[in-house]
């Protein structure tokens, strides 16, 4: 089992930046890819970005392409968020997938991810 702990959320004005971090521990050797999801009250959870643990391309949701960057350094996952907008306000979750299925799709679906962090809140004011 993989344990994930997010940090780095907070409140920022529109146009500002934040960097989220996610520390992975436990059976990290089982991870095939990691990802960030977000969820706002009353909305479904949305895939934001995905990165493979070994080789392959990263994936970004259209809504964040060009503004967010996902990166990984050993067992720490990052999400650099620039040019933040009020619509980016959400609880952000880190997730890990230990199967190739779901790590190479042209979309980011939460049903393939078995390990989840507790979330970190991001609030962007206008």
């Amino acid at each position: 089992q993989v344990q994930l702990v997010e940090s780095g959320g907070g409140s920022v004005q529109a146009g500002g930046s934040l960097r989220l971090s996610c520390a992975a521990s436990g059976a990290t050797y089982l991870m095939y890819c990691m990802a960030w999801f977000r969820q706002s009250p009353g909305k479904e959870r949305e895939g934001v970005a995905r990165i493979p643990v070994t080789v392959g391309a990263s994936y970004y949701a259209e809504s964040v392409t060009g503004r967010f960057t996902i990166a990984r350094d050993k067992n720490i996952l990052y999400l650099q968020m620039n040019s933040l907008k009020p619509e980016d306000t959400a609880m952000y979750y880190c997730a890990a997938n230990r199967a190739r299925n779901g790590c190479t799709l042209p979309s980011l679906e939460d049903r393939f991810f078995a390990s989840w962090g507790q979330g970190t809140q991001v609030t962007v004011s206008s």
Side-chain angles (χ1 to χ4, degrees):
Q1 190 65 282
V2 176
Q3 292 79 45
L4 303 169
V5 179
E6 303 97 333
S7 61
S11 297
V12 64
Q13 289 190 329
S17 298
L18 282 175
R19 189 177 79 158
L20 306 183
S21 300
C22 172
S25 61
T28 56
Y29 58 91
L30 294 175
M31 297 189 301
Y32 196 94
C33 68
M34 298 183 74
W36 289 98
F37 291 82
R38 66 186 182 186
Q39 188 168 24
S40 303
K43 294 186 177 180
E44 293 187 356
R45 188 157 52 189
E46 173 192 18
V48 175
R50 181 185 67 219
I51 187 168
V53 171
T54 54
V55 296
S58 296
Y59 165 91
Y60 293 93
E62 185 176 348
S63 58
V64 306
T65 296
R67 301 187 297 121
F68 290 12
T69 302
I70 190 170
R72 190 182 63 83
D73 182 6
K74 296 181 180 179
N75 291 331
I76 307 294
L77 181 69
Y78 300 99
L79 185 68
Q80 177 66 44
M81 305 185 293
N82 298 328
S83 302
L84 282 162
K85 305 175 181 179
E87 50 264 44
D88 294 319
T89 295
M91 184 71 79
Y92 283 71
Y93 298 91
C94 170
N97 185 356
R98 60 181 184 181
R100 185 175 187 274
N101 191 19
C103 288
T104 56
L105 294 174
S107 61
L108 184 48
E109 301 177 28
D110 58 2
R111 61 190 176 98
F112 293 107
F113 289 79
S115 299
W116 293 85
Q118 81 290 350
T120 185
Q121 178 68 37
V122 171
T123 302
V124 184
S125 58
S126 57

